[in-house]
């Protein structure tokens, strides 16, 4: 496999001068699984296509296995790409779809048989399935064939462009597990694009969060979740997303308090040093749904509480989502499945304030 380095990569479309990707810097280690995640239009697929050679680079360099590939055609980059729409040849059998690229390279028939057979075994494609055409396969089976076509090439880098977006919810979970298993089995370098933060969190060794063509944060899943660099990342990672409410930072005695017209939340004393430069400033308080009214919070004495008016409750089986208004802002809480809270009720729920975050007026995390 191979290391992939993107150094100050920029993509500007000449038609209108739209900047799709700006100053993208990333070093992908050999055998690492990297996920590019962000909302539609953030530049993640454009970045993947530049690695593949399907999009020209405006500025910067891309290196694969120590070689700059800016001007190297896609076929000579030793990469394999799995597309969102499978991109299978409808008139060919599964076997021929998987073998097609090898035949173009004039590989010996015996080696083609061995490679296709090995990939089929890894992906659970039996002999009978190898004889079918794509139209006789389910969406999940077609995606396995598309992945198998990439595996047989034994490339240096695997690229995945939202490969699960056309599958139903249950099949997406199964394919996530299979791709993770495949990564460990092949020891491959993989770059995976998705807009689904759940996929990103469950699959990537590291995650690149993008917005409007720029990188907001690069970190492992747990760090992204617990230590977001900014308000955008905090709100994008996590489901349901983090709750935010605007207010001011006031010093009350020796401690800081987050306040607005409807809410007053004492903040942990140990945050004092980080908060001091922002005393009196407008800030945003952010807290995740699982830290409002959770069983742990309910069992912990002395925590601050949020008063809320409940709009909707959603029983999820193992827990209940409570949608409510807090000082005019919409909030979501993940509470115990056995809760007695109902729509139309008022409630005061304790919050695990030590797990909250404060963001400055520019959306940068303060603590």
């Amino acid at each position: 496999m191979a290391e992939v380095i993107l150094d100050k990569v920029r993509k500007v479309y000449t038609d209108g001068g739209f900047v799709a990707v700006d100053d993208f810097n990333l070093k992908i280690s050999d055998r690492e699984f990297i996920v590019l995640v962000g909302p539609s239009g953030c530049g993640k697929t454009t970045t993947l296509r530049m690695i593949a050679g399907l999009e020209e680079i405006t500025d910067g360099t891309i290196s694969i296995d120590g070689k700059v590939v800016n001007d190297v055609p896609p076929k000579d980059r030793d990469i394999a790409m799995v597309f969102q729409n499978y991109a299978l040849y409808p008139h060919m059998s599964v076997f021929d779809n998987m073998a097609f690229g090898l035949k173009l390279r004039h590989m010996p028939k015996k080696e083609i048989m061995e490679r296709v057979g090995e990939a089929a075994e890894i992906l659970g494609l039996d002999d009978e399935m190898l004889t079918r055409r794509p139209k006789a396969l389910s969406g999940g089976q077609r995606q396995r064939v598309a992945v198998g076509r990439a595996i047989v090439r034994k490339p240096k880098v695997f690229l995945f462009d939202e490969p699960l977006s056309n599958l139903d919810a249950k099949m997406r979970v199964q394919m996530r597990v299979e791709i993770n298993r495949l990564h460990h089995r092949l020891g491959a370098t993989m770059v995976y694009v998705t807009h689904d933060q759940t996929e990103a969190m469950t699959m990537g060794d590291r995650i690149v969060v993008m917005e409007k063509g720029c990188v907001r944060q690069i970190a492992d899943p747990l760090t992204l979740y617990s230590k977001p660099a900014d308000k955008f990342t905090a709100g994008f990672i996590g489901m349901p997303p983090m709750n935010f409410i605007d207010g001011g930072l006031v010093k009350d005695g020796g401690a800081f308090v987050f306040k607005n017209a409807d809410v007053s939340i004492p903040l942990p004393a140990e945050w004092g040093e980080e908060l001091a430069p922002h005393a009196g400033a407008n800030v945003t308080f952010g807290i995740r749904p699982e830290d409002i009214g959770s069983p742990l919070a309910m069992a912990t004495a002395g925590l601050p509480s949020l008063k809320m008016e409940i709009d909707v409750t959603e029983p999820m089986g193992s827990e209940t989502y409570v949608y409510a208004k807090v000082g005019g802002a919409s909030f979501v809480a993940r509470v115990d499945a056995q809760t007695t809270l109902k729509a139309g009720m008022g409630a005061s729920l304790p919050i695990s304030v030590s797990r909250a975050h404060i963001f400055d007026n520019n959306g940068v995390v303060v603590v």
Side-chain angles (χ1 to χ4, degrees):
M1 299 303 159
E3 179 182 77
V4 180
I5 299 175
L6 292 87
D7 183 30
K8 299 179 181 178
V9 171
R10 192 166 188 259
K11 174 64 178 180
V12 182
Y13 288 100
T14 54
D15 182 13
F18 173 68
V19 180
V21 177
D22 193 24
D23 195 27
F24 191 104
N25 296 280
L26 176 65
K27 180 178 180 180
I28 304 171
S29 301
D30 183 30
R31 303 172 184 268
E32 188 174 18
F33 196 132
I34 286 284
V35 179
L36 309 182
V37 67
S40 297
C42 72
K44 55 189 184 296
T45 293
T46 301
T47 302
L48 194 77
R49 289 174 63 84
M50 287 193 289
I51 296 172
L54 301 176
E55 292 278 0
E56 291 185 2
I57 301 169
T58 305
D59 293 302
T61 59
I62 294 179
S63 303
I64 298 176
D65 199 18
K67 177 183 177 183
V68 175
V69 296
N70 288 28
D71 300 317
V72 176
K75 65 184 181 63
D76 298 325
R77 295 194 180 195
D78 203 3
I79 54 94
M81 191 162 179
V82 180
F83 295 91
Q84 177 179 352
N85 62 356
Y86 318 133
L88 301 177
Y89 297 108
H91 63 288
M92 292 184 182
S93 68
V94 167
F95 179 93
D96 288 335
N97 264 284
M98 293 173 65
F100 185 70
L102 306 182
K103 291 177 180 178
L104 288 180
R105 297 182 177 186
H106 306 292
M107 189 172 288
K109 186 175 181 180
K110 181 180 179 182
E111 187 173 354
I112 291 175
M113 295 285 289
E114 289 175 352
R115 288 200 183 191
V116 173
E118 181 183 356
E121 182 182 356
I122 290 172
L123 295 168
L125 301 172
D126 58 31
D127 291 341
E128 187 272 331
M129 198 175 295
L130 291 176
T131 65
R132 296 187 200 171
R133 293 186 179 181
K135 67 180 180 181
L137 304 176
S138 68
Q141 290 168 337
R142 291 180 194 180
Q143 196 55 274
R144 284 189 182 90
V145 176
V147 172
R149 185 176 54 191
I151 292 173
V152 298
R153 294 184 55 190
K154 298 187 177 179
K156 289 180 179 177
V157 182
F158 287 85
L159 306 178
F160 295 86
D161 185 13
E162 304 204 42
L164 310 185
S165 59
N166 291 332
L167 304 180
D168 62 50
K170 183 177 180 181
M171 183 56 67
R172 288 179 74 140
V173 173
Q174 292 176 0
M175 286 300 298
R176 282 208 311 260
V177 173
E178 288 192 24
I179 292 174
N180 266 326
R181 191 178 289 138
L182 183 67
H183 174 244
H184 292 300
R185 181 165 179 172
L186 299 179
T189 303
M190 293 185 173
V191 186
Y192 188 103
V193 160
T194 181
H195 64 274
D196 185 331
Q197 56 90 21
T198 300
E199 281 182 25
M201 292 290 286
T202 56
M203 299 179 77
D205 296 326
R206 285 189 298 154
I207 300 171
V208 181
V209 180
M210 297 183 67
E211 184 198 23
K212 296 179 181 178
C214 298
V215 174
R216 302 304 299 253
Q217 189 172 357
I218 303 173
D220 63 89
L222 185 58
T223 299
L224 275 184
Y225 181 82
S226 59
K227 298 178 180 179
D230 54 37
K231 185 178 175 181
F232 175 82
T233 302
F236 192 82
I237 298 296
M239 188 55 64
M242 182 178 286
N243 300 293
F244 298 110
I245 189 166
D246 295 328
L249 201 56
V250 179
K251 195 160 189 181
D252 185 3
F256 283 96
V257 178
F258 171 83
K259 296 188 79 168
N260 66 18
D262 304 289
V263 173
S264 178
I265 303 172
L267 302 177
E270 56 268 27
W271 291 4
E273 186 175 343
E274 290 89 349
L275 297 178
H278 303 274
N282 292 327
V283 295
T284 299
F285 178 85
I287 188 163
R288 296 200 179 276
E290 51 269 40
D291 297 323
I292 304 172
S294 67
L296 177 62
M298 298 294 282
T300 304
L303 293 179
S305 293
L306 286 176
K307 293 182 179 180
M308 57 186 67
E309 296 294 327
I310 299 170
D311 292 329
V312 177
T313 60
E314 288 185 345
M316 305 297 290
S318 60
E319 60 189 357
T320 295
Y321 292 176
V322 175
Y323 295 84
K325 287 287 191 299
V326 177
S330 296
F331 262 57
V332 187
R334 290 170 60 175
V335 304
D336 188 81
Q338 306 304 318
T339 183
T340 57
L341 297 175
K342 300 293 181 185
M345 290 177 59
S348 183
L349 296 181
I351 60 172
S352 300
V353 70
S354 63
R355 294 168 58 87
H357 295 279
I358 298 293
F359 303 91
D360 68 17
N361 220 18
N362 295 315
V364 178
V365 70
V366 173
V367 63

